[in-house]
Amino acid sequence: MTLAVLFPLIMAAVCALLARQLGRRTGYLAALGFLPALLLAVPLAGNSVEVGGTPFNQVTGWVPELGLNFAFRGDGFSLLFAVLIGVIGALASLYSVAYLSERERFGRFYPYLLLFGGSMLGLVLSDNMIALFAFWEMTSVTSFLLIGLWHTRSEARDGAIKAFLVSALGGLGLLAAVALLSVAGGSTTLSGLDLEAVRASPMFIPALLLTLLAAFTKSAQLPFHLWLPTAMEAPTPVSAFLHSATMVKAGVVLVAKFGLIFGTSALWGGIIVPLGLATMFWGSWRALKQTDLKALLAFSTVSQLGLLMALYGLADAEGRFAATTHLLNHAAFKAALFFVVGIIDHETGTRETFRLSGLRRKLPLTFAVALLATLSMAGLPPLGGFISKELFYEAMIHAGPGFIAVSVIGSAFTLAYCARLIGIFFGDFRAPEDDTGQPLKPHIHEAGLGLLLPPALLAGAALLFGILPSSAEWLTRRAGAALNFAGYEGHLYLWHGVTPALLLTLLTWGLAALLVWQAARVYFLQVHVEFPLSSNRIYRGLLRGLETLASRVIAGTQGLALPDQLRITLAAAGLMGGYAVWRAPQVFQPLEAVPLSTLPIAVLLVAGALGVLLSRNRLTAVVLTGLTGFGSAVAFLAMRAPDLALTQLLIEAVTVILFLLVFRSLPGFRSLPRGRVRGVIDVVLAGSAGIGATLLVLASIRFLSPPISPYYLENAYKEGGGKNVVNVILVDFRGWDTLGEIMVVAMVALAVGSLVRLGRRGQARSEKDTAPASQDLLDLQKRQS
Amino acid sequence: METLFAVLIGLLVAAGVFLMLSRTIIRVVLGLAFIAYGVNLAILTVSGLRQESPPLLTLEGPYVDPLPQALVLTAIVIGFGTTALLLTVALRAYQVAGHDDVAAFGDNLARNPDAPDGQHADPEHLSPDTPETDHTDETEIQMAELERLRRITR
């Protein structure tokens, strides 16, 4: 499993290196990268993860001290999903070999695709929650790269940024949730969590809500669905990969897996099921409105994800069984449909439904594939989609009448947009034209094998799941032990008698027929009904608000005079330090006896400090500073550090000389008032800094670990050949430090020299970076508007 | 003894911070020097103050911890370097701005040469960014624009 996750990442590097030589054939290498993931099907098919069987684990240490490991856990569900990712990833790579144009930058496309696939595999297989979070963020970053692949187009940039911002928001939620869970449950692995402790903990509800935030942002649930439709700016093979099997399903995986932790809470299902159904309805309503085939599919994904979420959100065996079945079906038909749309786009040059008609005459094979996949998406027999739709109704009947109504109406819309999708194949053939009436492509002919095979395989799977339900059931049952529905009795049949679910299906068909019959009116209604509160508008408003806030903060805090700037910084540091002191355990010892000899030192130090504060004459101030300096030299002596005392004395003398030199060209001290409020603030700041320093010193007089100094004492003479240990440390053991110190002094000398010379000459001319500050603000303003 | 030194260090740091917050540029430099004194003493203090021999192998053991001493030795020299650099910067700032009030240094040091203390200390060595007389109109327009923008952004 570790190999399955790592191999795509390694192959990404290989592809990046070889892309220049191989060109489009890099895609075969990329498909190879998913091979280990496909091989996971072997343990999946074997008995090791059979119903009730034990999952197999692989742990690779990362930072074991912190509970950070790459712990991969191959339970039935994870393996099933990993194989799904492998299949669709490999197919997408093969498909893109034929799909992409010769001028595409393969050196970016395939590595991104592989990186994404690898992080997705890591995400589903990871048992360690922190690694899971890391993979989660990796999928966000790599999908950002994939969506923005054609970064010269502003829509692609916008879509990529939107997808990243939304899913990164959820990622932060996940990080917090993972932290809360691992603290409450006493383990960083999902399987090692103490569920009783988690459920009893007060962090249960916050962790639940944060997990939901993560899942909803990633899986494009209301109101976070805004990023998914714009993510279709990615190349079509990427869309197929992102929308069918992976990125968007990450949230579903999260809900499925964490449902085992949170499922007992009424809040879990109480939030997910209504939101999921609302998303399903809203997605299918919006999908019906689209004229771009890819946009239609994108909204359809939103809708189907809502359905999956709602099913997993039920957190019972029936819901999980239905959801896992539909997960498989959805992956098969949605990826196939994206590939089909890619073919249509590739062959005809457009994806607009109103430009296309009668395509079955020119693209018969594509039509066959599209028909199978669309029927499955519409939930019509005898395809896999029908079976999972029945299961969905079955589950919703147990949830309540309101839920049934929403799901029936949503499914009717689904049928309607499926009809619209397949409609482009019927009717008389018209060569697609652009706005000026010129045909887009001179000759339209059937796609090649490279484009047709991947969707055909997937559509075949959809058909297989329908006519041979036991195959889908066999696959679904693999996840039974991992998702706690091993004991569930239900089975998959095409015909299971006249049940309430079947009646609901008939009702859906009736409604859908009505919608198709009145398609023109429905479309008119859709175009004219506009909701004022669209999440895209909120997103833009938020972005703009953030920008304004940022520029106000900058205007308010930057460009202040030095003391004000310092006050802000010190106050912030003081608040944080104060909090630390307040929370820290009390470790201070009582006052011990003070030897009389240290009292003169104390007097020297304090006298110097107080004297400078009170002095009104710069010479006095410097001399008094020197007093403190000599005081600390004496203190060094008392602390048994003769070298330090000597150095301090020398430096003190040089410093005083330096000051005297400078004073020649500086004015005398003036007392500049601070103002009453600022004076008080300064006293408070200085006082708290002093108290903080005292407390810090007192708190630090304990060894956190055994001192390393005995080593130096022992080896100073043996290895350094010197008897003054401090000197040996400086020149031998820590010679690099000393070299760095010499560099610092040399640089200071250079800087001082040039600054002084600059002042002498007085010829310096005005430069660009000293332009008035108003220019900056002007620029800022221009960028905002 | 450690407690006494902890209090002394606190006093030094407090004095240093208070000086750093004042408006006269030399006081700022001195403030930094005081903080450096405090920190140097602190490094030695936290390693524990014991009445043992200095780490000279010619003497009888046991010895005090030599490592903090080595660190502080470096710190003293670097502290001196910082002070020297700051002093020159202070000198230069004074030459450019014509006054030593750090609170009146803007982004542009010599923005307001007509302030009460805006006399150039060194009239021969004018600052590189002192607005020259024939540019005053332009500057006034820019200042007005700046004010307008400030009002908008607040």
Side-chain angles (χ1 to χ4, degrees):
Chain A
M1 281 182 293
T2 314
L3 182 72
V5 176
L6 277 183
F7 200 63
L9 307 183
I10 297 167
M11 285 308 276
V14 175
C15 283
L17 286 176
L18 293 181
R20 198 168 281 277
Q21 281 88 48
L22 290 178
R24 60 171 66 242
R25 279 166 300 167
T26 320
Y28 299 119
L29 263 186
L32 203 65
F34 289 105
L35 193 66
L38 295 179
L39 290 181
L40 289 180
V42 177
L44 188 65
N47 290 327
S48 55
V49 286
E50 198 62 72
V51 185
T54 47
F56 70 107
N57 291 296
Q58 275 176 351
V59 180
T60 316
W62 181 10
V63 191
E65 291 82 7
L66 296 177
L68 267 174
N69 291 305
F70 288 111
F72 295 115
R73 180 183 160 90
D75 57 32
F77 181 63
S78 308
L79 286 179
L80 193 67
F81 214 101
V83 173
L84 199 67
I85 293 166
V87 170
I88 303 212
L91 288 180
S93 312
L94 292 177
Y95 178 86
S96 53
V97 172
Y99 179 80
L100 292 176
S101 85
E102 199 57 64
R103 282 169 302 155
E104 191 55 62
R105 279 167 299 184
F106 300 102
R108 292 192 184 178
F109 177 80
Y110 285 113
Y112 291 167
L113 194 73
L114 281 166
L115 283 177
F116 177 77
S119 30
M120 200 61 213
L121 285 168
L123 171 63
V124 296
L125 289 173
S126 200
D127 189 33
N128 186 297
M129 291 190 292
I130 297 165
L132 187 139
F133 164 75
F135 285 119
W136 179 279
E137 288 299 63
M138 268 174 74
T139 61
S140 296
V141 173
T142 46
S143 64
F144 167 78
L145 292 172
L146 280 171
I147 296 168
L149 188 75
W150 292 333
H151 55 78
T152 45
R153 295 166 47 187
S154 68
E155 294 91 354
R157 289 197 301 272
D158 183 50
I161 292 171
K162 207 190 270 182
F164 184 73
L165 284 182
V166 173
S167 55
L169 170 77
L172 292 180
L174 183 66
L175 180 62
V178 162
L180 291 180
L181 274 180
S182 53
V183 168
S187 167
T188 52
T189 56
L190 263 180
S191 51
L193 278 182
D194 182 356
L195 290 187
E196 291 306 313
V198 171
R199 283 179 193 135
S201 149
M203 295 178 227
F204 181 72
I205 299 290
L208 185 153
L209 294 177
L210 287 166
T211 310
L212 283 184
L213 176 71
F216 286 172
T217 50
K218 201 71 160 183
S219 277
Q221 299 297 294
L222 281 178
F224 302 111
H225 65 286
L226 71 157
W227 70 265
L228 204 148
T230 42
M232 67 170 187
E233 291 299 331
T236 300
V238 170
S239 303
F241 195 27
L242 249 62
H243 287 189
S244 62
T246 54
M247 164 90 167
V248 295
K249 292 244 177 85
V252 178
V253 171
L254 199 69
V255 167
K257 283 193 172 178
F258 282 52
L260 302 175
I261 305 170
F262 296 119
T264 48
S265 163
L267 198 60
W268 179 254
I271 294 176
I272 301 179
V273 179
L275 255 177
L277 285 179
T279 310
M280 180 204 164
F281 169 74
W282 183 241
S284 53
W285 163 266
R286 289 293 302 271
L288 189 57
K289 195 174 162 182
Q290 306 303 318
T291 57
D292 182 323
L293 284 175
K294 221 167 145 186
L296 188 152
L297 285 182
F299 276 109
S300 134
T301 305
V302 173
S303 156
Q304 302 276 349
L305 285 172
L307 191 158
L308 283 172
M309 276 284 181
L311 280 178
Y312 275 124
L314 289 176
D316 56 6
E318 186 187 14
R320 291 195 184 110
F321 180 68
T324 312
T325 313
H326 191 67
L327 193 87
L328 293 171
N329 280 320
H330 177 249
F333 68 68
K334 188 52 66 67
L337 280 174
F338 267 109
F339 287 144
V340 164
V341 167
I343 293 176
I344 293 171
D345 195 9
H346 197 255
E347 300 303 327
T348 67
T350 181
R351 298 193 307 244
E352 298 290 338
T353 47
F354 53 84
R355 292 192 208 279
L356 297 164
S357 96
L359 284 181
R360 88 195 130 99
R361 295 167 207 278
K362 291 280 182 182
L363 307 169
L365 293 174
T366 311
F367 169 62
V369 171
L371 188 66
L372 285 178
T374 314
L375 286 180
S376 188
M377 178 157 85
L380 292 175
L383 283 126
F386 171 72
I387 296 171
S388 49
K389 178 90 46 174
E390 296 289 286
L391 288 176
F392 169 57
Y393 280 157
E394 199 89 51
M396 282 303 141
I397 285 168
H398 300 164
F403 294 138
I404 301 174
V406 177
S407 31
V408 168
I409 296 171
S411 304
F413 276 117
T414 306
L415 255 170
Y417 70 68
C418 286
R420 186 184 186 120
L421 174 68
I422 205 70
I424 60 165
F425 288 97
F426 290 100
D428 293 330
F429 175 75
R430 273 187 295 120
E433 295 165 343
D434 61 9
D435 293 330
T436 56
Q438 299 294 315
L440 284 164
K441 290 251 173 164
H443 303 293
I444 293 175
H445 49 77
E446 186 59 271
L449 193 66
L451 285 180
L452 263 176
L453 198 62
L457 283 176
L458 290 167
L463 184 64
L464 182 73
F465 291 159
I467 53 177
L468 204 69
S470 55
S471 64
E473 189 180 333
W474 184 81
L475 278 174
T476 307
R477 285 280 169 203
R478 300 283 124 183
L483 289 188
N484 245 343
F485 63 80
Y488 180 63
E489 288 299 324
H491 293 288
L492 301 180
Y493 300 112
L494 262 184
W495 176 254
H496 38 83
V498 181
T499 56
L502 190 72
L503 295 178
L504 285 178
T505 306
L506 293 177
L507 180 63
T508 313
W509 289 351
L511 267 176
L514 198 69
L515 281 173
V516 174
W517 178 46
Q518 292 291 351
R521 283 190 190 177
V522 172
Y523 189 67
F524 180 81
L525 189 71
Q526 283 199 313
V527 172
H528 286 266
V529 176
E530 271 293 334
F531 290 89
L533 202 71
S534 91
S535 51
N536 254 320
R537 211 166 290 168
I538 298 173
Y539 165 79
R540 287 190 199 295
L542 275 178
L543 269 194
R544 212 171 305 130
L546 211 61
E547 265 174 26
T548 317
L549 181 73
S551 45
R552 277 196 191 164
V553 168
I554 289 172
T557 56
Q558 306 297 307
L560 293 176
L562 176 70
D564 290 330
Q565 196 90 58
L566 259 178
R567 278 180 196 113
I568 293 176
T569 314
L570 282 173
L575 280 179
M576 281 190 286
Y579 180 73
V581 168
W582 180 49
R583 292 293 304 269
Q586 300 290 315
V587 291
F588 311 124
Q589 319 104 313
L591 271 169
E592 69 279 344
V594 177
L596 214 59
S597 59
T598 54
L599 278 180
I601 303 170
V603 172
L604 268 178
L605 289 170
V606 175
L610 287 182
V612 173
L613 286 181
L614 298 174
S615 71
R616 290 276 166 270
N617 180 317
R618 59 187 191 180
L619 251 166
T620 328
V622 172
V623 168
L624 287 171
T625 313
L627 199 62
T628 303
F630 287 115
S632 56
V634 182
F636 290 147
L637 268 185
M639 291 167 172
R640 306 288 191 268
D643 300 291
L644 296 194
L646 192 64
T647 318
Q648 185 76 54
L649 282 175
L650 279 174
I651 293 280
E652 226 33 72
V654 180
T655 311
V656 171
I657 294 171
L658 195 70
F659 270 97
L660 291 180
L661 275 176
V662 168
F663 279 169
R664 223 163 42 92
S665 25
L666 270 182
F669 260 11
R670 299 171 300 155
S671 72
L672 294 168
R674 295 165 191 259
R676 186 170 295 171
V677 180
R678 286 195 174 136
V680 173
I681 293 175
D682 288 357
V683 170
V684 170
L685 279 175
S688 40
I691 293 169
T694 305
L695 292 179
L696 182 69
V697 170
L698 285 176
S700 309
I701 310 178
R702 280 179 313 161
F703 287 117
L704 295 173
S705 53
I708 54 170
S709 302
Y711 170 83
Y712 291 120
L713 286 170
E714 267 170 38
N715 292 302
Y717 189 68
K718 261 189 284 177
E719 294 185 10
K723 296 204 166 171
N724 183 336
V725 184
V726 176
N727 286 358
V728 174
I729 291 177
L730 278 177
V731 297
D732 289 315
F733 292 116
R734 306 190 61 86
W736 284 111
D737 280 8
T738 309
L739 185 68
E741 174 196 339
I742 294 169
M743 301 287 285
V744 169
V745 175
M747 281 196 298
V748 165
L750 278 175
V752 168
S754 45
L755 275 173
V756 169
R757 276 165 54 95
L758 200 66
R760 286 266 164 74
R761 232 190 268 138
Q763 306 290 343
R765 282 284 125 227
S766 139
E767 286 170 25
K768 222 177 185 173
D769 57 352
T770 51
S774 57
Q775 198 57 41
D776 295 348
L777 258 175
L778 269 174
D779 290 348
L780 191 76
Q781 199 69 24
K782 227 177 268 166
R783 247 175 281 142
Q784 274 180 4
S785 56
Chain B
M1 196 153 131
E2 282 92 348
T3 320
L4 172 70
F5 269 100
V7 173
L8 287 177
I9 289 161
L11 277 173
L12 287 179
V13 170
V17 168
F18 190 76
L19 283 173
M20 250 171 62
L21 289 171
S22 65
R23 288 170 61 185
T24 323
I25 200 160
I26 287 295
R27 282 211 171 103
V28 176
V29 179
L30 289 178
L32 215 70
F34 271 98
I35 292 178
Y37 290 141
V39 172
N40 286 348
L41 286 173
I43 296 175
L44 281 181
T45 308
V46 295
S47 73
L49 302 175
R50 283 180 297 277
Q51 305 292 320
E52 293 166 350
S53 305
L56 300 171
L57 296 180
T58 43
L59 302 175
E60 282 292 312
Y63 307 102
V64 297
D65 196 342
L67 190 60
Q69 298 195 8
L71 296 179
V72 172
L73 200 55
T74 311
I76 292 172
V77 179
I78 302 240
F80 167 70
T82 320
T83 310
L85 189 62
L86 256 175
L87 259 183
T88 356
V89 170
L91 179 64
R92 186 73 196 127
Y94 169 65
Q95 285 176 343
V96 167
H99 58 86
D100 62 346
D101 181 1
V102 287
F105 290 167
D107 286 347
N108 183 344
L109 278 179
R111 190 193 292 161
N112 194 2
D114 299 328
D117 56 349
Q119 303 303 313
H120 285 281
D122 205 354
E124 289 170 29
H125 305 150
L126 278 181
S127 104
D129 50 4
T130 305
E132 283 159 30
T133 37
D134 49 331
H135 286 171
T136 33
D137 294 348
E138 201 182 318
T139 320
E140 268 166 20
I141 293 165
Q142 277 174 340
M143 291 307 295
E145 180 65 17
L146 183 70
E147 269 312 303
R148 198 182 64 78
L149 289 177
R150 285 240 166 95
R151 251 177 292 135
I152 294 170
T153 43
R154 289 272 148 77

